[in-house]
Amino acid sequence: MNHYEVLAPELVLLGLAFALVTLELLFPQLRKDLVAYLTAASAIGVLVASAFFANRSDSFKDLIQLDNYTTFFRILFLGTAALLAIASAHLVRDKLSNAGEYYGLLLLGVIGATYMAAASELLTAYIALELLNFTLYVLVSFDRKDPRSGEAGLKYILLSAFASALLLFGISFIFGVTGTTSYAGIRHALEAGIGEYRGTLVVGLVLLLTGLGFKVAAVPFHMWTPDAYEGAPLPVTAYISIVAKAAGFALFLRLFSQAFMPVISDWRWMVALLAALTMVFGNLIALQQVNIKRLLAYSSISQVGYMLIAIAALSHDSATALLLHLGGYAITNLAAFIAIIAFYNATGGEEIRDFRGLAERHAGLAMTLTIALFSLAGMPLFAGFMTKFILFQAAAQHGLLWLSAFGVVTSMISLYYYLMVIRQMYVLKPRDGDGRLRVPLLTSAVLVVLALGIFFVGIWPTPLFRAAASATRLLF
Amino acid sequence: MSGGYLLLATILVPLAAAGLLVVTPQRFPNVVRAIALAAAATMFALSVWVFVAFQTGSGGYQLTLRWDWIQNVGILGAHGISVYLGVDGIAAPLVLLTGIVILAGTFVSLKIDRRNKDFFILLFVLVAGVFGTFTALDMFVFFFFYEVAVLPMYLLIGVWGSTRKEYGAMKLTMMLVGSSALIFIGIFAVFTEAGRGTFDLPTLWGIHYSPAFQKTFFPFFMIGCGVLAGLWPFHMWSPDGHMSAPTAVSMLHAGVLMKLGAFGIIRLGIQLLPEGAKFWMPALVVLATINAAYGAIAALSQRDFKLMTGYSSVSHMGYVLMGLATLNVVGINGAVLQMFSHGVMTALFFLCIGALYDQAHTREIPAFSGIAQKMPLWAGFFVLAGMASFGLPGLSGFVAEFNIFVGLFRTYPVLGGIAVFVAAITAAYVLRMFAIAFFGELNPRWASLKEISVAESIGAVMLCGAIFFMGLWPSPFVERIATAVTHLPGVTG
């Protein structure tokens, strides 16, 4: 029996994405921020509807797996897309053209991202990945008036295509060794033993890890990130750093826990090495940034390092911790980016020194950004402390205390560069002539909700923690 | 027993006050002051209540309260993380200390004009962290609040401080946060080694860890917490941080926050890893002796009131660490007494210095002369604090230092001799300061100095009261502390 209903949420989403594009063609006079709110409403509608899939487990021809894991990520992606659509409203209306396509692509990217989490077969996973990537190529270069945007898009396409090639090459090695591309099939083949082909498998794994390393921006494969982040329109930067990153890890986690668990000793050290390099270099390079987008780019790279710890310590505990961390990271980063978008809309500044005296120009904005940055640095009361603590403890529990120690020390270093932003906002006084800022009511409301969300996860993470635990239960 | 809600209230009152202040408009600074004062008075009342409600006869952990917070999910088993609060005879006086210092600090801070709302929000978050750490009986909760207490420091110093404030703020924050990385790692190791899936401290204290494990991980806690306690050679944040911090923050930081470090060494070091403690204490006592001697000698040569007091704090915290390192009852008793005594005394120091600086806008000791004539009351408070700091009988410092010296002579007689000598140096720098700045001819430049304000006097009187109380009638303190110290593992009679 074919469970076509498993595909329903994404098919609906696809329809909505095309409807948004057509809407603008049919009614070119339509207010552009209305399209944004329509997008957010569609995303939230599908989100609510897909909540009915909770605790259901089905598969479409062993290609697409519907389980709590898929549902967890679908809700995460749709929620993020909805909030980013709202946050884009003013920016897209004032600075970009082709609003319909912009919002359509946002939803299309969610389909790719969700299928990356849902795929239980290598080629399906690859196609989902490319779907997400292609929407991102367009979105990154969406600002036609800014040459940095086009440049960023070009760099992103070139490096990402290279990574895709490596990924495909790796997949072909794996297929050669195991004779299948299905995750379950690979696991069976590896459990049965592969004898003399172990060397070939390791080469395949190295290629696969390199490809995935590019996609999630792990050091030393991170070079595209700062340029893409800086050049892309701000909401797209947020989209890459939350949706694309979480989707990369969703694929990574399902693939390695369902397919490659039997040969964990062959790849654990590679992932641990990537994690250590990523944490150290991500944080050290972030220290020198002067542009807020580049700062967040390197900050997100270092976050990738923490997340890789969970893959290196792969187990139900660490997978749960990873999902918890991703949830907290999404809320925190949304708060940070939406605050920065609001600031950018009001002032046009995106250098760190432009934030000078923000506490006196708009207290709420400064406070939200401070909460988000402290959370990213892993300070208590905020989500970052709780989720990182659980993540590092889970890794220590599974024999990687030294890697957790790397995580702890580097996240203490990260506090320095977050404090440099906070210093601009609170310690320094505004420049002469810098008056109070105006933030739209809806944005303020979204920011308040997100700030409360950061406190909520930081103080009472149990609901999210349980959701993460039930999402990862079937992986092992 | 409902007494546990008392401890919960000590944490929730400052947090609730901070929450209330967030929604109070900045254009009503007097409303902000009223809320802050009411909240601080409540905290003081609660802390006195906790101290009095502690039954000296029965010992152990009292006023306990336990709520499961996160359990049976992921790495956490039953009672994984629980809000488990309780005080023993060591924590009870420290809770009282926190209550006294925050109320005095709030009185002093009433005169802050610039963004006073933000100031009090951060100050109360800090205090909530301090209360939480002193009362926590869950390792996660302990560390959570420990970090909460450090979190607001950067902004408090950076925005409202003086003299190289950005440098001082950043140095302090990075050193304290960096040192907590060690505690972090130690906690991961202990949780994993115990393998019970819980952060419950009494459970973890009850487990016998292998000697090799204890010896490996004790230094993580000793140095991690030691940095906050001003342990040499990691004390560098302390003089700079105290110099640049605003008055109330210096008071809280030197008075209370540094005690968190020493308290952490007891809770996570001595109680969790007693064999590790036994192995490493000789190293700690040597470092602590250097602390005491170095701090005192450095204080001797300072020209800035606050820097001098900062180094004096380093020196006095050296006594606390020396007392802890003796691992005998008298010495540790003395250490805990000294934590309280130094807390109130150094808070009084910083209060007086702040009162002077706000008028004179300089803290150069040699720039002053004969100011006792213009500010007799102020000088009286200051002299009292100074007397307590070199251990004049009848004041709190005497009781504390006497116990530490007795404890030291039992275990490390030579270092005990050095400690007594350091007390003499302390007398030298304190008296020298009095001689230069307070007495003699009045420098006409200071003819316009006014007496200490009423609000500041109230704070100072409270602190003086505590100094006299402990100096003249130490038994309420000693009884409480002794019940706890005699039950510490590995402590000899």
Side-chain angles (χ1 to χ4, degrees), chain B residues 391-411:
Chain B
L392 194 77
L395 302 177
S396 61
F398 174 74
V399 184
E401 287 176 20
F402 186 75
N403 275 287
I404 292 176
F405 296 156
V406 171
L408 270 176
F409 277 115
R410 282 198 191 161
T411 330

Side-chain angles (χ1 to χ4, degrees), chain A residues 269-292:
Chain A
W269 63 272
M270 301 182 213
V271 179
L273 186 69
L274 271 186
L277 283 175
T278 308
M279 288 186 287
V280 170
F281 286 97
N283 279 310
L284 289 183
I285 305 175
L287 291 176
Q288 313 158 1
Q289 302 309 316
V290 293
N291 178 291
I292 191 85

Side-chain angles (χ1 to χ4, degrees), chain A residues 105-369:
Chain A
L105 284 169
L106 277 190
L107 293 186
L108 216 51
V110 170
I111 299 176
T114 311
Y115 278 167
M116 282 167 76
S120 56
E121 193 266 344
L122 278 171
L123 288 177
T124 314
Y126 175 77
I127 292 169
L129 179 74
E130 287 301 292
L131 174 59
L132 174 61
N133 272 332
F134 273 83
T135 58
L136 289 180
Y137 301 151
V138 183
L139 283 172
V140 165
S141 38
F142 216 84
D143 191 352
R144 284 186 304 195
K145 279 164 263 164
D146 186 352
R148 286 186 309 168
S149 181
E151 184 195 328
L154 188 62
K155 274 185 186 160
Y156 190 21
I157 291 177
L158 288 175
L159 284 170
S160 194
F162 180 61
S164 298
L166 290 176
L167 206 57
L168 278 178
F169 200 24
I171 291 174
S172 69
F173 271 85
I174 305 290
F175 178 72
V177 173
T178 60
T180 174
T181 54
S182 116
Y183 294 180
I186 293 173
R187 187 184 187 117
H188 283 303
L190 293 176
E191 275 167 353
I194 44 167
E196 60 196 295
Y197 296 115
R198 189 159 168 272
T200 320
L201 177 77
V202 170
V203 175
L205 284 171
V206 169
L207 290 168
L208 212 56
L209 276 175
T210 312
L212 283 173
F214 263 108
K215 300 294 181 186
V216 299
V219 176
F221 315 117
H222 64 285
M223 290 81 89
W224 60 272
T225 319
D227 293 326
Y229 272 50
E230 192 184 359
L234 258 166
V236 177
T237 311
Y239 194 78
I240 302 177
S241 91
I242 302 166
V243 174
K245 199 137 286 182
F249 273 96
L251 192 161
F252 211 148
L253 186 59
R254 194 192 276 275
L255 173 61
F256 277 68
S257 58
Q258 290 194 327
F260 295 123
M261 205 54 180
V263 289
I264 186 168
S265 55
D266 282 331
W267 52 263
R268 166 174 277 176
W269 63 272
M270 301 182 213
V271 179
L273 186 69
L274 271 186
L277 283 175
T278 308
M279 288 186 287
V280 170
F281 286 97
N283 279 310
L284 289 183
I285 305 175
L287 291 176
Q288 313 158 1
Q289 302 309 316
V290 293
N291 178 291
I292 191 85
K293 283 160 126 182
R294 287 186 89 87
L295 180 87
L296 285 174
Y298 282 106
S299 138
S300 83
I301 290 173
S302 55
Q303 296 285 339
V304 167
Y306 310 138
M307 295 172 196
L308 282 170
I309 295 179
I311 307 268
L314 194 59
S315 59
H316 184 219
D317 289 344
S318 73
T320 305
L322 176 59
L323 260 61
L324 174 68
H325 185 67
L326 278 172
Y329 170 81
I331 296 175
T332 303
N333 253 12
L334 274 173
F337 271 108
I338 294 179
I340 293 170
I341 291 169
F343 178 79
Y344 177 75
N345 283 343
T347 66
E350 56 177 54
E351 302 298 313
I352 293 173
R353 62 185 143 76
D354 295 330
F355 285 80
R356 203 185 153 109
L358 183 61
E360 286 173 33
R361 302 178 68 193
H362 196 292
L365 208 53
M367 195 186 282
T368 318
L369 194 51

